[in-house]
Amino acid sequence: MSLRPLSQERRYTDRLEEFSDRHHVVVDLVLALALMGCATLGSALTLPGARPPDQDKVGMALMGVSCLALLKHRAYPRVTLVVTAVCTCVAVALGYLLTPLLLAPIMASLYWLASLTDRRTTRVYGCTTIAAMTLAAVFSDSMDQLSLVLRTIGPAFWLLLPLAAGRGTLARQAYLKSVQSRAEHAERTREEEARLRVTEERMRIARDLHDVVAHHLALANAQAGTAAHLTRTDPEQAHRILTDLTATTSAALRELKGTVGVLRRPDDPEAPLAPTPGLGRLPELTVACESAGLTVTVATEGVPGPLDPGVDLTAYRIVQEALTNVSKHAAVDAAHIRLVYEESHLTITVTDDGAPGPGGPPGPGRGFGLIGMRERAQSVGGCLSAGRRPEGGFEVTTDLPLRPRARTRPATFEPDAAATHDLRK
């Protein structure tokens, strides 16, 4: 069987259910009239050679009461079943033949009971009704010509059908509700994931802006102060420092343009994304620090291996922020960087030899610089520790995996349309 007829059948079923829920009074009235016609026709049927009962008016009244009770099946399914069962039992006791047409009102009541109530209620009321109707068929004079097996199996079979159909309808409704709830949950999850991505990108851009601005402004401030001090005593050296100051501000502008460029459209020719920095630009960083009066030495242990772009950027930013802290807070003119490459991770240590006083580097957990470094390390599955050394000075140590162990967004961020739209707000 093809899937198309099944889908059409489900679509028609959904339309009927929607129409029934919207115009339930009209639907209930039509069903009651149809069942009244079935019960009336069933009351006129008899077995060959049997005489029909004399109480035609009583039988019609009983069937009318049972069909009128069906109009309240939505609010009172248990009462509706009891009324239809009592009316049908009385009709059978009066001599009416127990046929599926005569059982139509009670079968409808059983269906609605099974589809509107819980399993225990359906089991109790359904079994009681089937037992009562079976006993009525066994002791009815109108069915004496039938065997005991037919008188017991027949009513039980016809009354079990609506119970099974009602439970199937209830199961289908529960399935549709679960599908709808899963769809709503998936939609909420997508929205939360989109908000999380936007938040992560905002935090990443904030960290990049902090690193770029803090580092280059600190270097520019140190270079300007040194040049001002040497203007009278050593004009040539002051001129060289001012030249380096121009390079420092130019580098700051380039990195700011590259960072803020992600807020523009990716296809905007006026906002090209510059390559993300990494440890390969460490010599440029040390030269810029030296022009500000801070001598930086770099020691490498192990064999340098290829780094993931995100890890490479994280390592560079941590070193950059650590050197910025040394230049801003520590009263020293030298810093040391130690890179230790091992099989699966990279350990970076940045130290200075000073004895920081109240104006020294901030302790762990203080300042946005240390918070940003720690967040960067954790974003790629690494860890970072910072604090004063017992022998004097300040030390920042981070351990980064060569490949990220945590699910992170790529370092070379290319925002999607939704994220870029939210970030522009």
Side-chain angles (χ1 to χ4, degrees):
M1 182 181 294
S2 62
L3 295 178
R4 186 174 180 180
L6 289 177
S7 61
Q8 291 179 351
E9 181 181 354
R10 291 176 180 175
R11 185 162 58 250
Y12 294 149
T13 303
D14 294 338
R15 290 178 180 176
L16 288 176
E17 290 180 355
E18 182 180 357
F19 179 82
S20 176
D21 294 336
R22 187 179 303 174
H23 308 283
H24 61 88
V25 176
V26 177
V27 173
D28 293 346
L29 184 60
V30 172
L31 288 177
L33 292 176
L35 293 173
M36 182 63 187
C38 292
T40 303
L41 180 60
S43 63
L45 298 178
T46 58
L47 292 175
R51 189 179 64 181
D54 298 331
Q55 299 87 352
D56 291 340
K57 295 182 179 180
V58 177
M60 292 291 297
L62 290 174
M63 294 300 100
V65 171
S66 63
C67 291
L68 287 176
L70 294 176
L71 297 176
K72 296 295 183 180
H73 74 273
R74 298 179 186 272
Y76 308 101
R78 300 172 183 83
V79 176
T80 301
L81 177 62
V82 171
V83 172
T84 54
V86 170
C87 292
T88 306
C89 286
V90 173
V92 173
L94 292 176
Y96 288 94
L97 182 63
L98 190 61
T99 62
L101 293 175
L102 192 69
L103 290 175
I106 194 171
M107 290 172 66
S109 299
L110 286 173
Y111 171 80
W112 285 318
L113 178 78
S115 60
L116 297 176
T117 60
D118 57 278
R119 186 183 299 273
R120 183 176 181 276
T121 301
T122 302
R123 186 183 301 113
V124 172
Y125 280 82
C127 293
T128 303
T129 302
I130 292 174
M133 297 309 302
T134 302
L135 291 175
V138 170
F139 294 102
S140 174
D141 296 336
S142 62
M143 303 182 69
D144 289 339
Q145 301 180 20
L146 300 177
S147 63
L148 182 62
V149 175
L150 292 178
R151 281 185 285 177
T152 55
I153 293 180
F157 172 77
W158 288 109
L159 295 179
L160 283 174
L161 288 179
L163 287 177
R167 297 309 301 179
T169 301
L170 188 62
R172 180 176 179 273
Q173 293 174 351
Y175 171 74
L176 293 178
K177 288 181 180 179
S178 65
V179 170
Q180 182 179 2
S181 64
R182 287 198 300 269
E184 293 175 353
H185 176 72
E187 185 66 23
R188 289 194 302 268
T189 303
R190 284 195 295 269
E191 294 176 356
E192 293 173 0
E193 180 66 20
R195 287 195 296 267
L196 180 61
R197 290 200 304 268
V198 172
T199 302
E200 289 176 351
E201 288 307 321
R202 284 174 175 166
M203 293 179 62
R204 189 190 70 80
I205 293 172
R207 287 195 298 264
D208 284 346
L209 289 176
H210 173 272
D211 293 343
V212 171
V213 173
H215 171 71
H216 289 290
L217 284 183
L219 288 181
N221 180 68
Q223 290 170 339
T226 305
H229 179 72
L230 296 175
T231 300
R232 295 181 180 179
T233 59
D234 193 351
E236 294 183 0
Q237 180 67 17
H239 178 73
R240 286 194 297 269
I241 293 176
L242 290 177
T243 303
D244 294 337
L245 176 60
T246 303
T248 300
T249 55
S250 299
L253 291 175
R254 284 196 304 269
E255 292 200 29
L256 282 175
K257 184 177 181 181
T259 302
V260 181
V262 300
L263 300 181
R264 298 177 181 265
R265 292 175 298 179
D267 55 351
D268 192 345
E270 297 182 359
L273 297 180
T276 56
L279 292 180
R281 292 178 55 181
L282 200 56
E284 300 177 15
L285 183 62
T286 58
V287 170
C289 292
E290 289 175 359
S291 65
L294 179 64
T295 302
V296 181
T297 59
V298 181
T300 303
E301 299 181 11
V303 179
L307 297 177
D308 181 86
V311 176
D312 199 14
L313 173 63
T314 299
Y316 177 82
R317 290 302 188 193
I318 290 176
V319 172
Q320 183 185 53
E321 180 62 24
L323 293 178
T324 301
N325 287 340
V326 173
S327 177
K328 290 170 56 178
H329 303 290
V332 296
D333 55 4
H336 310 281
I337 302 174
R338 183 167 172 259
L339 307 176
V340 180
Y341 289 89
E342 298 188 8
E343 182 179 356
S344 60
H345 61 91
L346 166 66
T347 302
I348 303 174
T349 305
V350 181
T351 59
D352 63 78
D353 298 330
R366 296 174 54 195
F368 291 107
L370 292 179
I371 294 176
M373 287 192 291
R374 188 169 289 108
E375 288 178 350
R376 284 187 179 279
Q378 292 175 352
S379 68
V380 295
C383 59
L384 182 139
S385 61
R388 294 179 175 85
R389 300 189 299 166
E391 62 272 21
F394 200 83
E395 180 178 273
V396 175
T397 302
T398 181
D399 188 86
L400 304 176
L402 299 183
R403 292 288 181 271
R405 290 193 292 264
R407 178 182 177 271
T408 60
R409 298 187 64 82
T412 55
F413 170 60
E414 296 181 3
D416 54 23
T420 305
H421 174 73
D422 290 339
L423 287 170
R424 289 175 182 166
K425 293 180 179 179

